[in-house]
Short mmCIF file of all heavy atoms in Angstrom, two decimals:
data_model
loop_
_atom_site.label_atom_id
_atom_site.label_comp_id
_atom_site.label_asym_id
_atom_site.label_seq_id
_atom_site.Cartn_x
_atom_site.Cartn_y
_atom_site.Cartn_z
N SER A 657 -58.02 51.55 -51.61
CA SER A 657 -57.37 51.14 -52.85
C SER A 657 -57.04 52.36 -53.69
O SER A 657 -57.70 53.38 -53.61
CB SER A 657 -58.27 50.19 -53.63
OG SER A 657 -59.44 50.83 -54.04
N VAL A 659 -56.70 54.51 -57.10
CA VAL A 659 -57.36 54.66 -58.40
C VAL A 659 -56.39 55.37 -59.33
O VAL A 659 -55.89 56.45 -59.01
CB VAL A 659 -58.67 55.45 -58.28
CG1 VAL A 659 -59.30 55.64 -59.66
CG2 VAL A 659 -59.64 54.74 -57.34
N LYS A 663 -53.59 58.74 -69.61
CA LYS A 663 -53.93 59.42 -70.85
C LYS A 663 -52.77 59.31 -71.82
O LYS A 663 -51.61 59.45 -71.39
CB LYS A 663 -54.17 60.92 -70.59
CG LYS A 663 -55.41 61.27 -69.84
CD LYS A 663 -55.51 62.79 -69.73
CE LYS A 663 -56.69 63.22 -68.90
NZ LYS A 663 -56.75 64.69 -68.76
N GLN A 684 -51.03 59.85 -52.71
CA GLN A 684 -49.58 59.97 -52.81
C GLN A 684 -48.91 58.60 -52.65
O GLN A 684 -49.25 57.86 -51.73
CB GLN A 684 -49.06 60.94 -51.75
CG GLN A 684 -49.52 62.37 -51.97
CD GLN A 684 -48.92 63.34 -50.95
OE1 GLN A 684 -48.43 62.92 -49.92
NE2 GLN A 684 -48.92 64.62 -51.28
N ILE A 724 -38.62 59.06 -68.38
CA ILE A 724 -39.69 59.09 -67.39
C ILE A 724 -39.55 60.35 -66.55
O ILE A 724 -38.45 60.74 -66.16
CB ILE A 724 -39.62 57.84 -66.49
CG1 ILE A 724 -40.07 56.60 -67.26
CG2 ILE A 724 -40.48 58.02 -65.24
CD1 ILE A 724 -39.84 55.29 -66.50
N LEU A 729 -45.75 63.29 -56.09
CA LEU A 729 -46.08 61.97 -55.56
C LEU A 729 -47.35 61.35 -56.14
O LEU A 729 -47.74 60.25 -55.75
CB LEU A 729 -46.20 62.04 -54.03
CG LEU A 729 -44.89 62.30 -53.29
CD1 LEU A 729 -45.15 62.52 -51.80
CD2 LEU A 729 -43.93 61.13 -53.48
N PHE A 731 -48.10 61.79 -59.77
CA PHE A 731 -48.09 61.92 -61.22
C PHE A 731 -46.77 61.45 -61.80
O PHE A 731 -45.70 61.64 -61.20
CB PHE A 731 -48.33 63.39 -61.60
CG PHE A 731 -48.49 63.63 -63.07
CD1 PHE A 731 -49.70 63.38 -63.71
CD2 PHE A 731 -47.44 64.13 -63.82
CE1 PHE A 731 -49.86 63.62 -65.06
CE2 PHE A 731 -47.59 64.38 -65.18
CZ PHE A 731 -48.80 64.12 -65.80
N SER A 732 -46.86 60.82 -62.99
CA SER A 732 -45.67 60.41 -63.71
C SER A 732 -45.98 60.39 -65.20
O SER A 732 -47.15 60.26 -65.61
CB SER A 732 -45.21 59.02 -63.26
OG SER A 732 -44.08 58.59 -64.00
N SER A 745 -47.73 48.25 -78.23
CA SER A 745 -47.96 47.51 -76.99
C SER A 745 -49.03 48.23 -76.18
O SER A 745 -49.45 49.33 -76.54
CB SER A 745 -46.70 47.46 -76.11
OG SER A 745 -45.64 46.79 -76.74
N TYR A 758 -51.68 47.89 -57.85
CA TYR A 758 -52.82 48.42 -58.61
C TYR A 758 -52.31 48.90 -59.96
O TYR A 758 -51.19 49.41 -60.08
CB TYR A 758 -53.49 49.57 -57.86
CG TYR A 758 -54.08 49.17 -56.54
CD1 TYR A 758 -53.35 49.30 -55.36
CD2 TYR A 758 -55.36 48.64 -56.46
CE1 TYR A 758 -53.88 48.93 -54.15
CE2 TYR A 758 -55.89 48.26 -55.24
CZ TYR A 758 -55.15 48.40 -54.09
OH TYR A 758 -55.68 48.02 -52.88
N ARG A 764 -53.06 51.93 -75.10
CA ARG A 764 -52.84 51.01 -76.22
C ARG A 764 -52.20 51.79 -77.35
O ARG A 764 -52.83 52.67 -77.93
CB ARG A 764 -54.16 50.40 -76.65
CG ARG A 764 -53.98 49.26 -77.63
CD ARG A 764 -55.32 48.69 -78.04
NE ARG A 764 -55.13 47.43 -78.73
CZ ARG A 764 -55.45 46.24 -78.24
NH1 ARG A 764 -56.01 46.15 -77.05
NH2 ARG A 764 -55.24 45.15 -78.92
N LEU A 765 -50.97 51.47 -77.64
CA LEU A 765 -50.19 52.19 -78.65
C LEU A 765 -49.99 51.31 -79.88
O LEU A 765 -49.55 50.17 -79.76
CB LEU A 765 -48.83 52.59 -78.08
CG LEU A 765 -47.80 53.15 -79.07
CD1 LEU A 765 -48.30 54.44 -79.70
CD2 LEU A 765 -46.46 53.38 -78.37
#
Side-chain angles (χ1 to χ4, degrees):
Chain A
S657 64
V659 177
K663 289 182 184 178
Q684 294 184 342
I724 288 172
L729 292 173
F731 186 80
S732 178
S745 298
Y758 297 94
R764 190 181 193 110
L765 171 62

